Amino acid sequence: MMFAKRINKGNSGYFFIAPFFIVFLLFGLYPILYSFYLSLTNWDGLNDPEFIGLANYARAVIDPLFLQSLFNTFFIWIVSVVPQLTISLVLAVILTNKFLKGKDFFRAVYFFPNIVTAASLGLLVSLMFDWQTGSVNQLLMSIGIVDNPFDWKNNALFMQMLVSAILFFQYFGYSMLIYIAGLQGISPEYAEAARVDGASRVQIFFKITVPLLKPIILFQVITSLIGGVQIFDQPYMLTAGSGAPDHATLTSVMYLYRTAFEQGRFGYGATIAFCLFLVIVTLSIVSYLVSRNRSKIS
Amino acid sequence: MNKQTVSVNKGNVSIEHRKKKRAQASLYLVLGLLAAICLFPFYLMIMYSTHTNADITSTFLFLPGNHLLENLSRMVENVNIFRGFMNSFIIAGGSTALTLYFGGMTAYGFSKFKFKYNTVLFLFMLATMMIPAQLALIGSYRWLGMIGLLDSHAAIILPAAANTFAVFFIKQFLDGSVPDDVLESARIDGAGELKIFHRIILPMIVPALAAIGIFTFIGAWNNFISPLVLLFSEEKYPLPVMVAMIQGYYDTDYGLMYLGVAMSVLPIIIVFSIFSKRIMGSVAIGAVKG
């Protein structure tokens, strides 16, 4: 009772949000700032970090393996995200059609791969595409498409595409659900009015649905960018941590992991993390500006 | 003349009708095919976990075999998979409990109290959602080592008390469906602030907690990189890390690996088949209301 009387409403507000911010400072913000400090040092994980200024950053911008990992990450991301965002939009439009039966079933099945453990899925695909024992080669051979097993894992481009395909597989259902939620927020009167004026379904899709969904599309691009830059679990398990062949599936976070936790170059690992962050921020701003300029024109 | 045009029209209608039917059938075919692609790998995974290594390496398998128990007993000999289950439950359960309790508390603070910097702090919190988790990884590694939390489940569970997405989600719910009058009358009756939160607010936000709880549980169950980096003792590994270990050590025992993958995914399949509507609903709410 005394407690309730002594504190006014304002102070109890702070009281309720305090635990969150204490934990956030201890396990969120402080480690981030500390990572930044470590990115300016040489730290082997055992001895004390030695301050070296921006030397790690100077090294990162000319490190061929880091640059390749950045290229791999974005290549894999773009190859997966473009079909992901277009096909899921089409599916969302189809699965909000009131005449279609079994909508809930299809939505659930398409979303399902999204919640499956990414690391396990990576290993599963790795097993399926194994040269000698994989089910894919055995299926192809048993129905007579190929005579000899194909060595998928030695083909750099194929392996990059395979990672993209896993990401597509895991995320198209998620994008679809977000588009569906967005579509349900659009009044059906717009499409109705256009239909009365004689617009075709395709015209309605491109001239009405897509422009009205623009904020949702931007949201999807930016969130998938942040997620895409962090790709780790699937390629790591797919290639048993190697990024094979020829570093083609070595993503930036895999390179970070390898540099810091396998080779003990923690300072440089932290630098890689911050370089990645800079790339994300830049690209998020660019995609925001691009979408704003476009809507100004139209 | 008149009759003829009528019959021609009728013909047109039925052709159009047939065309529409055919279009619809092919639409269902495409949707069905896509659904099959989504489920097929998991079907294969379960089938392959019931076969011997020799069967798996020699031919394509579509039907179940009868070596599941054999594979399972070999797995139990090699890795402590039940320990992995328990670790995953401890990590996912602990993270979920912290996320719900402190997420509810923080959301309540932001939603129902008009203190200074309320909006600023809330926006600051939302902005942190843009920061990728890897940014803190190496700093955490040293910092957790300094305070003695490295190689402990607490290192992975504790940060869940600051789950920004949960706060955002629960606050939306509180703003929309818990009226301020309820709080006023409880205060007049002399209830303390914490008591109001525990006895009145928590029961009222159960639907939001349930949705975010399932989500947090799945996310924590699937987390791979933090336990991989922050845990060293095998007996503390959760399932995904244990599966990675199986790949490293027993990479020629395919039955074992398929079974490991299946066991790490099975709880997720069960959770999803029970709560699929709720899970999908909360994806949509969380994404669009912002």
Side-chain angles (χ1 to χ4, degrees), chain B residues 190-218:
Chain B
E193 296 295 337
L194 254 185
K195 195 172 177 186
I196 293 176
F197 173 69
H198 287 138
R199 295 283 174 81
I200 298 170
I201 299 302
L202 276 184
M204 283 180 91
I205 58 172
V206 164
L209 295 182
I212 209 77
I214 299 164
F215 239 84
T216 313
F217 189 88
I218 294 173

Side-chain angles (χ1 to χ4, degrees), chain A residues 191-222:
Chain A
E192 210 53 60
R195 201 167 297 141
V196 171
D197 290 346
S200 72
R201 260 188 216 174
V202 176
Q203 279 173 322
I204 291 173
F205 179 77
F206 283 109
K207 297 278 159 88
I208 293 176
T209 312
V210 172
L212 284 172
L213 277 181
K214 205 166 240 172
I216 305 272
I217 296 173
L218 179 67
F219 171 86
Q220 300 251 47
V221 170
I222 292 180

Side-chain angles (χ1 to χ4, degrees), chain A residues 103-210:
Chain A
K103 275 182 292 201
D104 287 341
F105 169 77
F106 286 121
R107 286 182 192 181
V109 172
Y110 297 161
F111 177 66
F112 170 65
N114 183 253
I115 59 159
V116 169
T117 318
S120 296
L121 188 63
L123 177 56
L124 180 61
V125 175
S126 167
L127 290 169
M128 289 171 69
F129 282 88
D130 191 88
W131 175 49
Q132 281 173 311
T133 65
S135 49
V136 173
N137 270 340
Q138 279 166 356
L139 180 65
L140 292 178
M141 275 157 49
S142 67
I143 54 179
I145 292 181
V146 292
D147 291 330
N148 293 306
F150 185 73
D151 194 358
W152 308 100
K153 290 187 178 176
N154 242 335
N155 186 317
L157 186 64
F158 177 80
M159 287 301 276
Q160 290 171 333
M161 295 294 172
L162 192 57
V163 179
S164 301
I166 300 175
L167 291 173
F168 173 84
F169 179 71
Q170 280 211 281
Y171 283 96
F172 83 96
Y174 173 82
S175 314
M176 177 196 75
L177 282 187
I178 290 174
Y179 280 136
I180 287 176
L183 286 171
Q184 282 163 347
I186 296 176
S187 162
E189 282 161 20
Y190 294 117
E192 210 53 60
R195 201 167 297 141
V196 171
D197 290 346
S200 72
R201 260 188 216 174
V202 176
Q203 279 173 322
I204 291 173
F205 179 77
F206 283 109
K207 297 278 159 88
I208 293 176
T209 312
V210 172

Side-chain angles (χ1 to χ4, degrees), chain B residues 46 94 105 281:
Chain B
I46 292 168
M105 206 174 202

